[in-house]
Amino acid sequence: MHLIDTNVNRTNPNDVKWGVTKDDPDLLPMTVADMDIATPAFIRDAMQNLINQKVLGYVIPSTTLYDAFIHWQKVYHGVSLTREQLILIPSVAVGLSFVLRYLTDVGDGVIVMSPYYPPYQTLIKSNQRQFIDFPLIQRDGQYVIDFKRLEQRMDTSKAKAILVCNPHNPGGRVWTNTELQRIHELANERGMLVIADEIHDDTVYSDNQPVSMLSDLMGEDAASQTVLLKSATKAFNLAGVKTAFLATKNTQILGKLKQAATAEAIEEVNTFGLVATRTAYEQGESWLKEVNAYLEGNRDFAYQYLREHIPMIRPMYPEGTYLMWLDFMAYGFSDQELDAKLRSLGHIALNPGIDYGKAGSGFMRLNFAVDRNVLKDALHRLESFDKAVKAN
Ligand SMILES: Cc1ncc(COP(=O)(O)O)c(C=O)c1O
């Protein structure tokens, strides 16, 4: 019996991804990073059990929630944590803003590798910190870090922190142990804070296992300047439950953040999120295995299809995440034209790469966490776009 269910209908006008179809019912959105795959039944059942208790009053986060997360991080990510090292947060975005406000000062620089998840820029700038863009370079069709330039950028910018997204959204890279160690070394030498966004690290394929910035492999020194942000929401399709974790092994940082957490009552997260997150980490192993195998099939299918049938669209091969970064530069369109033409000629909406910083110009991001037939439809729409452009 299959555990995953790809038969979902999201045509709700308030749905961030599918809401666009209220203005254009023919448009196929392959955008926002959640899945068109049902949130697992065992998680929905656990939430239903809570409803069945008839009272949704105050609750204390259960010890089993912390135990489940600690166990998950140890078994799947080689990260040893204690309950004292954890702070509950409503989301990774809220956690990032919280960390910036309490661990850096107004005017401090924060290095972000570009292209980047767009809210990074918004959160850093609106907290009056300097957004320091560090473009990744492409080698053999994948993003890599030019460490010489990173070192220079750290020195010239005097940045106080570096944000590391692993696996990388939108490029799909799973940074290697060596790359992460090098980032740690450079940051450590300069007393920089490392903010690790590992929200996508449970969406992994047979050819790659992400290493956490807080992994035991990294050693104590490396881990000591790191704050980890993560949740069950990407892998288990729970974005709406708004529950995540912040973890750090640095006692000084922890002390500051715990005090700040009390001041802001930041740990007062949603009861449904507590239940959903605990259930995901307690019972999620088989479901996750199945969904990741399905997503891996989607990834391989889309990658092959694009290479064989639409070679002017050049995909990056995602090592992790359910996001594929597509290079449309061969068509020679401006970013605005490209988005408009994909919609008008292909009836498909992708996330415009330019939203991910200048380094994303000419790219589009495709979310392949959908039923295989929907993915085929999306690829056919891209083919129609390609043919229509060539016919003009
Ligand atoms: C890299 C990355 N970080 C953070 C988030 C947002 O996480 P949250 O919903 O927990 O704020 C996303 C969502 O797409 C993401 O891709």
Side-chain angles (χ1 to χ4, degrees):
M1 201 185 80
H2 289 298
L3 300 171
I4 65 167
D5 172 9
T6 57
N7 181 18
V8 293
N9 178 352
R10 300 184 61 180
T11 48
N12 164 348
N14 295 326
D15 186 291
V16 176
K17 185 186 292 170
W18 280 89
V20 294
T21 57
K22 68 178 182 288
D23 299 323
D24 180 357
D26 294 332
L27 193 65
L28 178 62
M30 303 289 283
T31 52
V32 185
D34 56 22
M35 298 196 255
D36 288 1
I37 293 173
T39 300
F42 60 88
I43 295 181
R44 286 180 285 124
D45 288 347
M47 293 167 88
Q48 188 62 51
N49 283 342
L50 180 63
I51 292 175
N52 292 347
Q53 289 169 20
K54 299 208 289 191
V55 176
L56 295 171
Y58 290 112
V59 297
I60 301 167
S62 65
T63 306
T64 48
L65 166 71
Y66 293 98
D67 289 349
F69 179 68
I70 290 167
H71 182 255
W72 188 272
Q73 286 300 99
K74 179 73 187 164
V75 171
Y76 298 105
H77 301 287
V79 179
S80 303
L81 290 167
T82 64
R83 178 178 171 158
E84 288 65 41
Q85 293 167 335
L86 301 176
I87 295 177
L88 278 172
I89 47 177
S91 73
V92 167
V94 171
L96 174 56
S97 182
F98 177 70
V99 167
L100 289 173
R101 278 183 290 116
Y102 285 96
L103 299 182
T104 66
D105 292 317
V106 169
D108 280 353
V110 182
I111 293 182
V112 174
M113 298 178 212
S114 64
Y116 50 81
Y117 170 60
Y120 288 165
Q121 190 186 35
T122 321
L123 291 170
I124 291 170
K125 285 189 173 169
S126 52
N127 278 300
Q128 296 160 287
R129 272 62 176 168
Q130 276 181 68
F131 179 86
I132 300 173
D133 187 316
F134 176 74
L136 294 165
I137 56 171
Q138 282 187 62
R139 189 176 301 146
D140 301 327
Q142 291 287 29
Y143 282 126
V144 293
I145 301 164
D146 180 337
F147 279 102
K148 236 198 187 119
R149 280 190 39 249
L150 179 59
E151 200 168 349
Q152 283 165 358
R153 196 91 176 102
M154 285 175 165
D155 288 336
T156 52
S157 69
K158 301 199 168 46
K160 291 286 163 47
I162 179 166
L163 179 48
V164 181
C165 182
N166 186 33
H168 180 250
N169 171 13
R173 269 300 310 280
V174 167
W175 304 114
T176 61
N177 196 349
T178 316
E179 286 169 316
L180 298 178
Q181 292 274 13
R182 189 79 190 112
I183 295 172
H184 268 316
E185 274 165 26
L186 295 179
N188 237 352
E189 284 162 15
R190 291 159 182 80
M192 284 169 74
L193 172 72
V194 177
I195 308 170
D197 177 347
E198 298 183 357
I199 195 168
H200 289 282
D201 74 346
D202 288 312
T203 304
V204 294
Y205 304 121
S206 52
D207 41 11
N208 269 292
Q209 277 299 325
V211 178
S212 171
M213 270 299 202
L214 265 193
S215 158
D216 299 346
L217 293 173
M218 294 283 153
E220 268 177 40
D221 276 0
S224 74
Q225 86 245 309
T226 304
V227 175
L228 168 74
L229 301 169
K230 125 152 220 183
S231 65
T233 57
K234 292 291 165 201
F236 292 96
N237 211 20
L238 295 168
V241 305
K242 296 289 168 198
T243 301
F245 285 100
L246 180 160
T248 184
K249 296 187 180 193
N250 180 316
T251 46
Q252 234 180 336
I253 289 179
L254 193 64
K256 252 191 200 175
L257 292 181
K258 286 244 164 152
Q259 194 177 6
T262 307
E264 299 220 357
I266 204 168
E267 294 198 276
E268 306 234 343
V269 304
N270 192 301
T271 316
F272 286 99
L274 298 175
V275 169
T277 303
R278 173 177 55 74
T279 310
Y281 290 134
E282 277 180 351
Q283 300 176 34
E285 184 183 351
S286 313
W287 187 89
L288 191 66
K289 238 186 216 160
E290 190 174 311
V291 84
N292 282 347
Y294 190 82
L295 294 172
E296 181 164 348
N298 276 2
R299 172 194 68 173
D300 294 346
F301 180 80
Y303 187 80
Q304 261 327 102
Y305 194 94
L306 289 164
R307 307 234 336 165
E308 276 172 32
H309 300 277
I310 328 174
M312 276 177 75
I313 305 176
R314 296 177 49 231
M316 277 193 185
Y317 184 74
E319 297 170 335
T321 80
Y322 35 76
L323 308 165
M324 193 173 278
W325 193 231
L326 309 175
D327 175 347
F328 281 81
M329 282 182 229
Y331 293 97
F333 294 132
S334 70
D335 291 298
Q336 235 179 349
E337 270 176 329
L338 176 59
D339 186 35
K341 284 190 190 293
L342 281 166
R343 287 166 187 261
S344 64
L345 302 175
H347 303 286
I348 182 165
L350 304 177
N351 284 113
I354 190 68
D355 293 348
Y356 298 72
K358 260 194 273 168
S361 179
F363 286 87
M364 284 276 169
R365 195 191 72 173
L366 175 141
N367 177 343
F368 57 84
V370 295
D371 185 272
R372 185 78 43 87
N373 287 322
V374 177
L375 181 61
K376 286 180 183 165
D377 182 9
L379 293 165
H380 294 154
R381 287 169 191 244
L382 289 177
E383 216 166 355
S384 304
F385 153 85
D386 176 76
K387 286 206 174 102
V389 169
K390 288 174 179 157
N392 280 327

